[in-house]
């Protein structure tokens, strides 16, 4: 049995059934992939969604595990299409708030420094 062919058949079935992720293809690369997760944990990846190249990468070498992983990655890609606009919006808002905060902080800091300078200069005139 050719696992990659079976994975692609299953992907086509899922794409048809859910009318989603039509742009994605499946790529089977049986190997062990280690990944450092954001919460300081090392994990072995069974698969991943490559959003840039629209690929569902499957790393499992066993048929049943590869099929399970394909389904998992397909639904992850499907949910990403719903969630990603909010992630992008949040990131843009966060950058905007950071910029506004830093700009406001800079203006306040410069104003305070100028007040100190003025106090020192006024003091110097009274010597």
């Amino acid at each position: 049995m050719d696992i990659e062919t079976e994975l692609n058949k299953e992907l086509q079935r899922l794409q048809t059934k859910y009318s989603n992720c039509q742009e994605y293809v499946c790529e089977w690369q049986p190997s062990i992939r280690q990944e450092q997760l954001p919460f300081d944990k090392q994990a072995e990846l069974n698969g991943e969604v490559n959003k840039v190249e629209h690929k569902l990468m499957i790393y499992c070498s066993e048929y049943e595990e590869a099929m399970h992983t394909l389904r998992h990655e397909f639904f992850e890609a499907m949910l990403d299409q719903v969630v990603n606009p909010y992630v992008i919006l949040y990131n843009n808002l966060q950058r905007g708030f950071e910029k506004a905060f830093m700009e406001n902080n800079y203006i306040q800091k410069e104003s305070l420094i100028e007040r100190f300078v003025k106090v020192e200069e006024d003091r110097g005139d009274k010597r």
Side-chain angles (χ1 to χ4, degrees):
M1 169 190 342
D2 180 19
I3 293 178
E4 188 158 27
T5 300
E6 293 300 314
L7 288 170
N8 279 300
K9 283 181 190 176
E10 179 64 7
L11 176 58
Q12 288 174 354
R13 186 189 74 76
L14 292 168
Q15 289 169 326
T16 300
K17 181 175 182 176
Y18 293 98
S19 299
N20 213 307
C21 297
Q22 305 298 328
E23 68 278 13
Y24 278 89
V25 296
C26 177
E27 192 169 302
W28 184 54
Q29 296 180 351
S31 61
I32 296 174
R33 299 285 285 242
Q34 294 290 326
E35 177 92 4
Q36 183 69 34
L37 298 178
F39 39 91
D40 294 332
K41 184 178 178 186
Q42 210 39 32
E44 186 175 302
L45 293 183
N46 291 329
E48 65 184 311
V49 177
N50 182 327
K51 297 174 199 168
V52 176
E53 296 179 16
H54 295 103
K55 289 182 182 179
L56 303 179
M57 307 299 295
I58 310 302
Y59 304 125
C60 306
S61 57
E62 301 297 321
Y63 174 78
E64 289 298 326
E65 192 177 0
M67 279 295 185
H68 176 87
T69 300
L70 171 68
R71 293 177 188 120
H72 178 101
E73 300 307 329
F74 175 81
F75 290 118
E76 183 172 330
M78 221 170 96
L79 287 173
D80 279 348
Q81 291 177 340
V82 173
V83 172
N84 279 348
Y86 294 101
V87 171
I88 291 167
L89 174 63
Y90 170 79
N91 287 339
N92 287 336
L93 286 172
Q94 184 178 7
R95 279 192 285 279
F97 286 137
E98 285 173 1
K99 182 179 177 187
F101 177 79
M102 295 303 289
E103 185 176 329
N104 185 49
N105 189 37
Y106 175 79
I107 290 169
Q108 288 180 353
K109 179 187 79 168
E110 290 298 314
S111 176
L112 180 62
I113 290 169
E114 283 302 312
R115 281 186 265 158
F116 285 143
V117 169
K118 181 159 178 32
V119 166
E120 285 302 310
E121 288 175 347
D122 288 348
R123 232 173 123 193
D125 291 342
K126 296 177 182 172
R127 286 186 195 171

